[in-house]
Amino acid sequence: MTKVILGCLAVVALGACSNSFDEPLLTDGPQQIGFQADLGACRALAEQHTEKTVQSGAVQGAVIGGIIGVADSKDGDRVDDALVGAVIGSGIGALEGASEADEARREILIRCMQGRGHKVLA
């Protein structure tokens, strides 16, 4: 179980490093008139993206973590190992869901800016 916990902590540490939604947009050429106002409006729209992705990831991670905890149990205390696995799995699943939600918000932001006539590439 120790190997599972260490592996999960490494994944959590790596997953916490990215937040593409807050990165500046890459544009083709100079910013057009109204860029900043549109950016604020598009960011507000993108931030409304629901957190259901995060919740879903946490639930899926808890289930998978619990199963792995039971399967990896060597001392016979399967309930405790399942609970530890579920807690770790839900944390990892939530981080993965947050990462997916962040990427979706970034895509919404880019499409919104393009829809308003700005030459946004990424």
Side-chain angles (χ1 to χ4, degrees):
M1 188 61 155
T2 304
K3 292 178 184 177
V4 173
I5 292 172
L6 291 176
C8 292
L9 290 175
V11 170
V12 169
L14 289 174
C17 296
S18 67
N19 190 2
S20 65
F21 180 65
D22 293 329
E23 292 177 8
L25 294 175
L26 176 64
T27 58
D28 183 18
Q31 294 179 357
Q32 299 169 322
I33 297 173
F35 183 89
Q36 291 301 322
D38 288 342
L39 180 61
C42 288
R43 278 200 185 276
L45 176 69
E47 287 173 352
Q48 293 176 5
H49 186 65
T50 65
E51 293 298 319
K52 289 182 182 179
T53 307
V54 177
Q55 294 169 354
S56 174
V59 170
Q60 290 174 358
V63 170
I64 293 169
I67 292 169
I68 291 172
V70 168
D72 194 42
S73 179
K74 294 181 182 168
D75 61 4
D77 196 1
R78 292 181 177 220
V79 174
D80 285 346
D81 291 339
L83 288 174
V84 169
V87 168
I88 293 170
S90 67
I92 291 172
L95 281 174
E96 184 177 329
S99 177
E100 289 174 11
D102 180 63
E103 290 174 18
R105 283 192 292 264
R106 177 71 177 199
E107 187 63 31
I108 292 168
L109 175 63
I110 291 169
R111 285 190 205 161
C112 179
M113 291 297 286
Q114 289 171 340
R116 292 176 183 226
H118 299 285
K119 296 178 182 179
V120 176
L121 303 175

